[in-house]
Amino acid sequence: MLSKLNSVQREAVTYLDGPLLVLAGAGSGKTRVITHKIAHLIGQCGYEPRNIAAITFTNKAASEMRERVADLLKTSNTKGLVVSTFHSLGMNILRAEARLLGYKPQFSIFDSSDTWKIFGELSNSADKQEIREMQTQISNWKSAFVSPEQAADAAEDDTARVHARIYARYQDTLRAYQAVDFDDLIHLPVVLFRQHPEALLRWQLKLRYLLVDEYQDTNDCQYQMIKLLAELRGALTVVGDDDQSIYAWRGASIANLHNLRDDYPRLRVVKLEQNYRSSQRILKAANHLINHNTKVFEKKLWSDHGIGDAIRIYAARDDEHEAESVVMKLIAHKFENRARFADYAILYRSNHLSRVFEEQLRAQRIPYTVSGGTSFFDRAEIKDIIAYLRLIANPDDDPAFIRAITTPKRGIGNTTLEKLGSHAGARHISLFEAAFEPHIQDQVQPRQYEELMLFCNFINRIQDRSDKDPCGELLDELLRAINYENWLYDTHDPRMAESKWKNVDDFVGWLKRKAEADEKSLIEMVQTVALISMLEGKDQDPDAVSLSTLHAAKGLEFPHVFIIGAEEEILPFRDSNEKQIEEERRLMYVGITRAERSLQISYCNRRKRGKDWIACEPSRFLEELPGDELVYAGGHAEAVPMVTRDEGMDKLASLKAMLNREAAE
């Protein structure tokens, strides 16, 4: 099994004498190291799968790791192996230890739209920017373990005092709903471990070896969780790359990587520097650029993939010219190399830069995907079904109660809900519990009360069976009982109704398969769903050009990459201080190292701002690339013709000949 690894990868896999940092450069095979190490621990070192936890940041990465480990250990049983995101691990810890923190195991997990609504109500504000700032501030407080009381004591202005007051009321609201938000899934396990040493010991004995991916992206909460779990025996391997730390804006701290030496004096550092992705020219450019940053761990990527194409720097007149030239170059390159559209990526610093490229791709009828599109789980029809599941798992979940009882409509409107809400508020109970209070029958109309009781009794019947009966059977019964398919066709045009029902059918089918494969009840599946942002295995990757921000492209690779908008005030972002400039440089480094064979970086000489044209300055990062590996084109001062006129005519003739051959076929 180890024979397919290079010597440094093999060292990282077999080292077990203490804490290990694997400093893994872009494209150096870090996932291979993690999966082989898990297989080595189980197959050669006698570890039980249930005593190993591999932790990463995305469901996709966790799923890929799980599949690779199963493939490596074909004859061994991996049941019980924990390969999950930080949030999923936190959820499992909280579910097992909920009562120690005053929660029931069936707590609800509120997503950003749930919490957005709560913040809007608590602040009595409809100002999106104000609510967003409030959410960010309270999220940062939780990550830094600042309580509402501490936030109030430290407040230095009216805004901070208001935020601290809303923070306290927000926490009370979550507690009343028996709910947690995404920050709590990391924050509360750390609180649990600090307050209840016996719970910490239980989990330290359960998770005897920890492997953590993308360690440079951890925030303080995640760092504390890992440190507490690993402190008993230091059986820990973390994999990271300080050159790819690009998430400071969401709380990630590169210091966590650097602090490992202080935390673990016996720390061993292994550097993965051989890149299996990119050409030598691309790696030379990446190394040259990142050397302008201050370093704690020195490393230099190298490759035996050959020298590769020259890196092209293209100066466009304006953004429309930039989009037109990139798309034309992409079409010609694809045709000449008989490539797929999926081989190409157009990467940018900010989302607003994609619009003109989308227009140009549509004009040329080129299929494309945009990162950050609507998640499958954010579709209205999926959230409708999830509301029922959340309510079955936790009747105290008021947002789920309101959505479920009004979708499909069953004669219960705002008047009934307001009366129910007033009674629930006065008694400090949930809406569901309030429905069974004797006084409610006198406060609402008989028809509405009958519908209310039908609904609540149905939820109770499903809940009573949710831990015993097969998940698939209950889901089918739920959909039949609420008559959701007919309601879709009654309220939408046939084509949209058909599309929405297919999504529901796909979702329920996936839930059934996953519940059966993981041997989970309906209740357990509800909390699993709350953490998943994408339907696993729903579609094959389409043959389409990828439009993506540089942040979203991290972890991906493409044969051919175009980085656009390489200008001051865009990349690096305007008003960046010295520390932020280093992160912007790392972002450029991430973009460059996505490319396998060819790379073009472009910028505009001018852009329109309002009605005026503004002159643009090329990004300072272009000056930091090795000049001998660059070819300039377009309106750049150093631009030279790419080919002579005769060479151009020959190239055009060969393209025409290829076109004729394809037409004949």
Side-chain angles (χ1 to χ4, degrees):
M1 186 169 62
L2 301 180
S3 62
K4 294 180 180 177
L5 305 177
N6 66 37
S7 59
V8 186
Q9 290 173 334
R10 205 155 40 242
E11 180 188 356
V13 166
T14 55
Y15 182 77
L16 293 173
D17 293 337
L20 173 69
L21 165 60
V22 181
L23 203 64
S28 62
K30 68 181 178 66
T31 305
R32 173 180 285 195
V33 165
I34 295 172
T35 52
H36 276 73
K37 187 149 195 170
I38 295 169
H40 182 68
L41 288 167
I42 296 169
Q44 304 298 318
C45 305
Y47 276 82
E48 291 292 327
R50 66 176 181 275
N51 295 141
I52 301 170
I55 307 161
T56 185
F57 277 83
T58 67
N59 293 304
K60 185 179 178 184
S63 179
E64 183 186 341
M65 275 188 201
R66 209 176 290 113
E67 286 171 13
R68 287 208 204 175
V69 171
D71 196 44
L72 287 169
L73 291 169
K74 289 186 175 70
T75 58
S76 302
N77 187 355
T78 58
K79 188 173 181 179
L81 174 67
V82 177
V83 183
S84 73
T85 61
F86 275 96
H87 289 95
S88 185
L89 177 63
M91 178 193 73
N92 290 330
I93 292 169
L94 287 181
R95 186 191 285 151
E97 311 288 351
R99 289 187 175 85
L100 288 176
L101 291 174
Y103 285 88
K104 58 187 181 184
Q106 297 92 345
F107 58 83
S108 295
I109 301 169
F110 281 6
D111 64 17
S112 57
S113 63
D114 295 321
T115 59
W116 179 280
K117 191 174 179 185
I118 294 170
F119 280 121
E121 289 169 353
L122 292 177
S123 62
N124 198 24
S125 171
D127 186 324
K128 289 183 179 179
Q129 184 62 26
E130 187 181 334
I131 295 173
R132 192 175 294 114
E133 286 172 2
M134 206 178 300
Q135 273 186 315
T136 302
Q137 177 61 76
I138 289 168
S139 175
N140 289 342
W141 275 332
K142 283 192 181 185
S143 293
F145 299 98
V146 176
S147 69
E149 296 73 26
Q150 290 169 325
D153 291 342
E156 295 180 351
D157 55 39
D158 287 344
T159 300
R161 277 187 283 276
V162 168
H163 286 181
R165 194 160 58 248
I166 287 173
Y167 181 17
R169 292 172 61 200
Y170 172 67
Q171 288 303 101
D172 290 342
T173 303
L174 288 180
R175 177 73 68 166
Y177 289 163
Q178 279 286 298
V180 300
D181 62 21
F182 267 40
D183 292 315
D184 286 329
L185 292 173
I186 312 295
H187 172 86
L188 288 176
V190 175
V191 171
L192 169 84
F193 290 156
R194 288 175 174 174
Q195 292 178 356
H196 300 276
E198 74 282 8
L200 174 60
L201 183 60
R202 261 195 303 276
W203 284 88
Q204 287 173 336
L205 294 173
K206 175 179 168 60
L207 304 179
R208 293 171 177 268
Y209 202 99
L210 295 174
L211 302 101
V212 187
D213 191 16
E214 305 284 12
Y215 195 76
Q216 77 282 349
D217 293 338
T218 53
N219 62 26
D220 192 46
C221 262
Q222 291 157 337
Y223 165 76
Q224 294 292 344
M225 182 197 276
I226 295 302
K227 190 176 177 185
L228 284 163
L229 286 170
E231 71 180 358
L232 188 65
R233 57 175 63 82
L236 172 72
T237 292
V238 305
V239 181
D241 182 5
D242 49 348
D243 291 337
Q244 295 188 74
S245 178
I246 58 173
Y247 293 117
W249 51 276
R250 69 180 191 198
S253 175
I254 196 171
N256 292 346
L257 204 59
H258 301 160
N259 289 341
L260 281 167
R261 280 182 168 155
D262 297 328
D263 296 338
Y264 306 102
R266 295 192 305 122
L267 181 74
R268 175 82 162 265
V269 179
V270 173
K271 298 179 185 179
L272 303 184
E273 296 174 297
Q274 182 176 0
N275 175 284
Y276 291 92
R277 175 188 300 158
S278 306
S279 70
Q280 292 170 22
R281 272 198 170 114
I282 288 168
L283 294 182
K284 182 178 177 182
N287 288 331
H288 216 273
L289 173 76
I290 206 65
N291 280 340
H292 288 79
N293 273 5
T294 50
K295 295 272 197 170
V296 173
F297 300 104
E298 287 292 338
K299 72 173 187 310
K300 188 174 183 180
L301 294 180
W302 61 275
S303 163
D304 56 11
H305 274 351
I307 192 73
D309 298 344
I311 295 165
R312 197 165 183 256
I313 308 295
Y314 188 85
R317 288 191 306 275
D318 52 43
D319 58 348
E320 288 194 5
H321 177 228
E322 182 183 34
E324 184 183 332
S325 65
V326 165
V327 172
M328 289 301 112
K329 175 94 168 65
L330 189 155
I331 291 170
H333 192 276
K334 175 185 180 296
F335 192 73
E336 284 181 68
N337 293 275
R338 294 180 175 256
R340 301 171 67 237
F341 285 120
D343 292 339
Y344 297 85
I346 299 171
L347 309 180
Y348 36 83
R349 173 63 176 83
S350 302
N351 271 310
H352 74 271
L353 296 171
S354 73
R355 181 190 58 80
V356 66
F357 284 84
E358 287 193 64
E359 289 172 357
Q360 190 62 229
L361 289 165
R362 278 200 299 267
Q364 300 299 328
R365 298 187 177 179
I366 295 174
Y368 66 90
T369 60
V370 183
S371 67
T374 303
S375 159
F376 186 84
F377 283 81
D378 285 336
R379 297 174 194 269
E381 60 273 20
I382 304 303
K383 295 194 88 165
D384 288 342
I385 305 305
I386 289 174
Y388 281 89
L389 301 181
R390 279 171 43 178
L391 188 61
I392 290 162
N394 175 16
D396 292 332
D397 188 336
D398 281 0
F401 176 89
I402 292 166
R403 184 165 193 140
I405 203 167
T406 56
T407 315
K409 297 194 184 305
R410 49 177 53 84
I412 295 172
N414 288 341
T415 305
T416 304
L417 288 174
E418 281 170 17
K419 287 176 180 174
L420 201 58
S422 297
H423 186 81
R427 297 268 289 114
H428 303 291
I429 57 178
S430 68
L431 293 171
F432 190 88
E433 193 176 342
F436 291 98
E437 294 267 292
H439 299 300
I440 285 297
Q441 189 168 1
D442 302 328
Q443 295 180 34
V444 301
Q445 296 294 321
R447 175 66 197 277
Q448 276 71 36
Y449 181 73
E450 185 183 339
E451 290 289 348
L452 187 62
M453 286 297 99
L454 277 172
F455 174 79
C456 292
N457 286 326
F458 167 70
I459 296 296
N460 273 337
R461 283 198 304 276
I462 297 284
Q463 186 187 43
D464 287 343
R465 298 162 52 200
S466 60
D467 271 333
K468 303 185 287 287
D469 291 7
C471 181
E473 187 180 305
L474 291 172
L475 287 166
D476 289 338
E477 190 172 323
L478 173 67
L479 288 179
R480 279 196 306 273
I482 68 175
N483 209 13
Y484 192 79
E485 183 179 10
N486 286 344
W487 177 77
L488 283 175
Y489 279 94
D490 288 343
T491 52
H492 298 89
D493 68 67
R495 184 178 294 179
M496 183 176 286
E498 184 181 0
S499 171
K500 285 177 175 288
W501 179 247
K502 185 179 184 310
N503 287 337
V504 170
D505 201 36
D506 286 351
F507 172 57
V508 170
W510 172 81
L511 271 179
K512 290 177 184 176
R513 290 191 302 275
K514 189 158 182 65
E516 189 174 346
D518 297 351
E519 297 179 0
K520 287 186 174 179
S521 68
L522 182 66
I523 294 287
E524 291 170 321
M525 284 305 301
V526 176
Q527 290 175 320
T528 301
V529 164
L531 295 180
I532 297 174
S533 59
M534 194 180 302
L535 192 61
E536 293 174 18
K538 182 174 185 291
D539 291 314
Q540 293 297 313
D541 290 336
D543 183 20
V545 174
S546 291
L547 289 182
S548 173
T549 62
L550 289 160
H551 283 101
K554 184 169 173 288
L556 305 178
E557 55 189 50
F558 306 91
H560 313 290
V561 168
F562 296 87
I563 298 175
I564 62 156
E567 297 147 34
E568 291 292 307
E569 301 209 342
I570 293 179
L571 182 65
F573 200 64
R574 63 177 174 273
D575 302 328
S576 296
N577 59 32
E578 191 174 333
K579 188 176 177 183
Q580 290 164 333
I581 286 289
E582 293 215 338
E583 176 145 335
E584 293 290 303
R585 187 176 286 113
R586 291 195 291 270
L587 195 55
M588 182 72 156
Y589 173 86
V590 165
I592 290 171
T593 53
R594 297 313 92 198
E596 296 172 2
R597 299 202 292 275
S598 76
L599 173 67
Q600 174 178 295
I601 305 171
S602 59
Y603 65 91
C604 296
N605 285 317
R606 62 174 191 168
R607 283 184 187 273
K608 210 161 194 178
R609 207 167 285 167
K611 293 182 178 178
D612 301 321
W613 286 101
I614 307 294
C616 300
E617 185 182 347
S619 170
R620 71 191 73 185
F621 301 148
L622 299 181
E623 301 257 325
E624 297 171 0
L625 298 174
D628 58 335
E629 300 297 352
L630 309 179
V631 172
Y632 295 93
H636 195 283
E638 297 179 50
V640 293
M642 294 292 287
V643 292
T644 65
R645 187 175 183 281
D646 288 344
E647 286 172 333
M649 294 301 288
D650 288 344
K651 197 170 185 180
L652 185 61
S654 65
L655 275 173
K656 282 180 178 175
M658 282 176 67
L659 192 60
N660 290 334
R661 281 199 302 275
E662 291 228 335
E665 289 170 9

